[in-house]
């Protein structure tokens, strides 16, 4: 089980980072909204703690999206403000500051946000919409980059952090209950190492394009979470996970093919209205 978790984590981090560097940072931002870390965390929570426990956690995964977006926004702001520092120190300080913001937001969500499934869904959708407007207005697209030459050691180093984070989250699930497990299953376990890697190699400016598409991409996590909550008790953890990923994949495909321009138009109009 341990080797499976690490192997999947390595594949995810290498894939997303390579796409950001060599294909499109915008598309990588969309893929970061796919339930990569959250889905794997819920899968192993289900295998280790049972389908019903994981199904309840799946509903709370939606609540974890808001703190994750707060983490992204605070990391971007911190990284932008301290670009004058040596980059390695800027990465460390940005991480510390953004994690403090994440934990504060997670506590507020846990104790102040709506606690019913319907209220949780509406609250999360409102937060995603608001953050999408903020991200589009404050994070301009960045310039093209020259990607680094990869080595086996570099690839392995990029992936291990994600694997360790996932192991810690799933290992703590039995001690914190389904509500906290759900919130922390949306912890940016995949986003975090990708952001640290890209910030360290290419600077804070590269993060803007990566984050711009993230809120709309995260609608895939909501679809995934709702499907998990319904399918795990009925179909089991493994079949439920496959179905949930399929539903999230259908949304992302529809977003790229049909919905993106419509969403961008709506967000731009909302942003213009808010600035008046």
């Amino acid at each position: 089980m341990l080797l499976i978790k690490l192997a999947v984590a390595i594949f995810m981090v290498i894939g997303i980072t390579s796409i950001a560097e060599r294909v499109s940072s915008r598309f990588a931002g969309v893929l970061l909204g796919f339930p990569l870390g959250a889905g794997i965390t819920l899968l192993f929570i289900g295998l280790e703690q049972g389908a019903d426990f994981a199904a309840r956690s799946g509903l709370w995964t939606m609540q974890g999206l808001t703190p994750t977006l707060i983490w992204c926004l605070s990391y971007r702001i911190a990284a932008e403000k301290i670009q004058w520092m040596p980059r390695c120190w800027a990465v460390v300080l940005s991480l510390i500051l953004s994690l403090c913001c994440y934990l504060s937001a997670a506590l507020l969500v846990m104790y102040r946000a709506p606690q019913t499934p319907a209220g949780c869904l509406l609250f999360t959708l409102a937060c995603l919409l608001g953050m999408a407007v903020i991200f589009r207005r404050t994070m301009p697209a960045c310039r093209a980059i020259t990607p680094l030459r990869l080595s086996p050691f570099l690839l392995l180093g990029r992936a291990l952090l994600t694997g360790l984070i996932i192991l810690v989250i799933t290992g703590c699930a039995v001690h914190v209950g389904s509500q906290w497990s759900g919130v922390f299953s949306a912890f940016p376990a995949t986003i975090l190492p990708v952001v640290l890697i890209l910030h360290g190699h290419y600077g804070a400016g590269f993060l803007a394009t990566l984050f711009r598409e993230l809120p709309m991409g995260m609608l895939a996590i909501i679809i995934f979470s709702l499907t998990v909550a319904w399918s795990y008790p009925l179909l089991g953890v493994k079949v439920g996970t496959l179905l949930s990923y399929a539903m999230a994949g259908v949304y992302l495909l529809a977003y790229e093919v049909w919905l993106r321009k419509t969403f961008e138009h709506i967000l731009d109009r909302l942003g213009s209205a808010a600035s008046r």
Side-chain angles (χ1 to χ4, degrees):
M1 191 70 70
L2 174 63
L3 293 178
I4 294 175
K5 292 179 182 180
L6 291 177
V8 173
I10 289 171
F11 174 79
M12 289 191 306
V13 172
I14 290 175
I16 295 292
T17 307
S18 298
I19 289 171
E21 291 174 310
R22 291 166 169 77
V23 181
S24 167
S25 57
R26 185 204 66 78
F27 184 57
V30 174
L31 290 180
L32 281 176
F34 194 67
L36 298 169
I40 290 174
T41 300
L42 286 173
L43 169 63
F44 286 110
I45 287 175
L47 293 175
E48 295 169 2
Q49 307 302 328
D52 291 337
F53 185 95
R56 293 192 299 270
S57 296
L59 289 175
W60 288 104
T61 298
M62 293 185 292
Q63 291 282 49
L65 298 183
T66 300
T68 294
L69 288 172
I70 294 295
W71 179 84
C72 294
L73 181 61
S74 58
Y75 189 99
R76 163 65 178 167
I77 292 173
E80 188 71 23
K81 296 297 183 182
I82 59 176
Q83 292 191 74
W84 51 271
M85 296 180 65
R87 191 171 293 171
C88 60
W89 290 108
V91 170
V92 172
L93 185 56
S94 299
L95 177 61
I96 293 172
L97 293 174
S98 60
L99 286 177
C100 290
C101 294
Y102 173 85
L103 291 174
S104 300
L107 287 172
L108 288 174
V109 165
M110 281 292 299
Y111 296 111
R112 297 298 181 184
Q115 302 295 302
T116 63
C120 172
L121 176 60
L122 294 175
F123 173 79
T124 303
L125 289 174
C127 289
L128 284 184
L129 182 61
M131 295 298 285
V133 173
I134 293 173
F135 279 29
R136 284 190 62 80
R137 292 187 65 82
T138 61
M139 299 184 185
C142 71
R143 66 185 187 280
I145 61 166
T146 301
L148 295 173
R149 183 176 181 179
L150 300 179
S151 67
F153 178 78
L154 183 61
L155 294 175
L156 181 62
R158 289 181 171 190
L160 285 179
L161 180 59
T162 300
L164 291 175
I165 291 172
I166 292 175
L167 289 174
V168 169
I169 294 172
T170 55
C172 292
V174 67
H175 301 293
V176 299
S178 61
Q179 188 173 358
W180 273 105
S181 295
V183 171
F184 282 112
S185 70
F187 181 83
T190 303
I191 301 174
L192 188 149
V194 170
V195 168
L196 296 184
I197 292 163
L198 296 177
H199 181 196
H201 289 324
Y202 305 111
F206 188 73
L207 302 179
T209 308
L210 193 72
F211 287 154
R212 275 170 62 91
E213 301 285 339
L214 185 57
M216 290 297 96
M218 278 186 168
L219 284 172
I221 297 181
I222 293 180
I223 295 171
F224 183 92
S225 301
L226 293 173
T227 309
V228 162
W230 167 79
S231 64
Y232 272 24
L234 294 177
L235 303 176
V237 173
K238 296 179 181 178
V239 175
T241 298
L242 292 175
L243 178 62
S244 301
Y245 270 121
M247 296 297 291
V250 167
Y251 163 74
L252 285 186
L253 177 62
Y255 177 79
E256 280 294 301
V257 176
W258 299 297
L259 300 177
R260 183 165 65 89
K261 294 297 184 182
T262 301
F263 283 177
E264 289 177 352
H265 178 70
I266 293 172
L267 293 175
D268 289 339
R269 294 198 63 174
L270 288 174
S272 299
S275 63
R276 292 174 186 169

